[in-house]
Amino acid sequence: MSTSFSSLPVVSLSALSSPSPDPGELTALSTRLDEAFSTTGFVYLKDLPLTFSHEDVFALCDEFFGANGLSMEEKMTLAKKTFIKTNKNTYRGYFPTQAGADNVKEGFELGTPSIKTTVLPLTSSKFDLTEPNVFHPSYADFQARCEMLHTELQSLAARLLSLLAISLGKPATFFDHYLFESLSTLRLLHYPPVPAERQQELICTPHTDSGILTLLHQDSTGGLEVQNTEGDWISAPYVPGSIVVNIGDLMAKVSGGRWVATFHRVRSARRESGEAKGRYSVPFFFEPGLKCLVKSVEGDEVVYGVHVLDKMKGWVEFQDVAEEVADIVGDGRMEVEAF
Ligand SMILES: O=C(O)CCC(=O)C(=O)O
Ligand SMILES: [Fe+2]
């Protein structure tokens, strides 16, 4: 159950770096994760088993969004169909900032590299959640590094899921079926600098994440805040070398409410002097496969693709197609009880 908190716990993953981790250390680690996700729903993880440093991760953002990155014209060649009707990609690719919204961010998204699915798409051709990634043709090295980062974060997420299974008293393989044809999304985000009069205003609206687990790299700009049970917004500043990991709505349901999906938001940084900085952040959303049957400890179940299409109705980059999503979800193709 969620409790009040004034800061987020920090947990070391050093036990995972050993080629043959000590079972006692793994059990202790699983208990610490369980405690964090049961109280705050958020945790800082440090001593990460990743080959990417923070600099490596944010270099990707800079190569895409920075002053020497892609032009707006080049970015729009990668834009989702919502924004450029002649583009084929509906789910992966670029989304520009939305005028007038308090989600002042542009982003670039990719899924599992070279995903091969053995299932027919759940959706109409309008929404193929298993579609291939899109990259700019002159960005082969960028593509290789993005896909490598996706692969490393996927395997870290898989290890966290085994630890969470252990904490539930289940076998370490309990969540392994989530990995089959996983739809996990790596999202590079750029919040452009805001004008002086908009300092400390919302640039990412309060929300919970919809899926299973989110692994977030954030840069040193600051602005991420997490809501406690009193409704206070607790600052979640950059902690060097760490990522922030949080529980999504679906995982909260899987755990029967034992783990909490906590509201979070981003406010633009206070301008100390000179120019305001923009913010880079890189959330990785761990997602099961399209047809994965996700069961809760209480016996409820939902097909992941149905869950995600339903959630898409509220996502800013799909607003103009919300009705089509509703039709797809409501067309009776998947006869399952939603949570
Ligand atoms: O930019 C951030 O740090 C937060 C992003 C976020 O919460 C999200 O994309 O779900
Ligand atoms: Fe989020």
Side-chain angles (χ1 to χ4, degrees), residues 236-263:
Y238 170 68
V239 172
S242 72
I243 57 171
V244 179
V245 176
N246 63 287
I247 293 286
D249 295 333
L250 190 54
M251 193 55 150
K253 286 171 182 157
V254 164
S255 72
R258 173 180 178 133
W259 301 323
V260 286
T262 309
F263 274 91

Side-chain angles (χ1 to χ4, degrees), residues 128-173:
D128 179 4
L129 305 186
T130 65
E131 71 188 14
N133 292 330
V134 289
F135 286 95
H136 194 269
S138 66
Y139 267 46
D141 181 60
F142 172 84
Q143 171 172 359
R145 281 178 289 131
C146 282
E147 295 191 335
M148 169 79 89
L149 179 59
H150 189 294
T151 303
E152 288 195 16
L153 289 169
Q154 177 76 2
S155 80
L156 175 54
R159 298 185 83 181
L160 296 176
L161 287 173
S162 330
L163 291 166
L164 288 177
I166 293 169
S167 79
L168 290 176
K170 307 278 186 195
T173 54

